[in-house]
Amino acid sequence: TQLLEQSPQFLSIQEGENLTVYCNSSSVFSSLQWYRQEPGEGPVLLVTVVTGGEVKKLKRLTFQFGDARKDSSLHITAAQPGDTGLYLCAGDTENSGYALNFGKGTSLLVTP
Amino acid sequence: ETGVTQSPTHLIKTRGQQVTLRCSSQSGHNTVSWYQQALGQGPQFIFQYYREEENGRGNFPPRFSGLQFPNYSSELNVNALELDDSALYLCASSLLAGDYEQYFGPGTRLTVT
């Protein structure tokens, strides 16, 4: 059973469009991270959120942590081809010890 | 500041063989975690080492074992390889055990035939 469910699984959009990807769970997370992974590479940390309701911005990327700390979203404004990649959410719960629990990811393709 | 490095990049092994994968942590980080990422999946936690001791383990059999050395580099050993062990193996380092911000290496792609 996947602790974190990500949607959509795949997304193909054109340059300039906006998009939102979601990360949902029935568990409460102490913290949640978003990573981007390119083919053949390791995940690269984008952001960490720890407080319910928290919103963080990283240039054109906006991350939100749900009030109950069970879900998160990533919104990209005016997507560019360089945003192409696999977006993974990961989090730790009270019971997960030192393990990060990852979702399966959202594969994003942005075409010119 | 040196990032996380892993070797080798790619590896092909035969079922039943043993393999050792290596990882050098980011400078200043004393904790290393290993993850297995099968095709189309997110990374799955294998175990974590802190100060040369196993600090936590995911749902992986004992044939997956590890070591951490005094310089905080680490090895992942897998015995009696199975076809399902084919995956990208990722090493991640963090400043402290329990630090939720982990920094990943590029991974080792293992293919078992």
Side-chain angles (χ1 to χ4, degrees), chain A residues 2 31 33 35 37 40-43 45 48 50 86 88 92 98-100 102-104, chain B residues 35 37 40-45 48 55 88 90 97-98 100-106:
Chain A
Q2 201 79 22
S31 71
Q33 294 81 48
Y35 291 83
Q37 184 177 25
E41 300 291 327
L45 180 65
T48 298
V50 296
L86 179 68
L88 293 158
D92 63 302
Y98 300 130
L100 266 185
F102 280 84
K104 289 187 178 182
Chain B
Y35 292 82
Q37 186 176 23
Q41 303 291 320
Q44 297 290 316
F45 176 73
Q48 183 182 88
N55 199 34
L88 181 68
L90 296 162
Y100 46 70
E101 294 195 343
Q102 299 187 4
Y103 297 87
F104 285 81

Side-chain angles (χ1 to χ4, degrees), chain A residues 52-94:
Chain A
E54 183 175 3
V55 176
K56 282 193 174 180
K57 292 191 175 184
L58 184 66
K59 296 183 181 177
R60 296 174 293 100
L61 278 60
T62 302
F63 305 86
Q64 186 160 8
F65 201 14
D67 291 341
R69 292 186 287 129
K70 292 183 178 182
D71 56 88
S72 181
S73 64
L74 158 59
H75 181 79
I76 301 180
T77 304
Q80 299 178 359
D83 295 327
T84 293
L86 179 68
Y87 288 82
L88 293 158
C89 65
D92 63 302
T93 67
E94 278 188 1

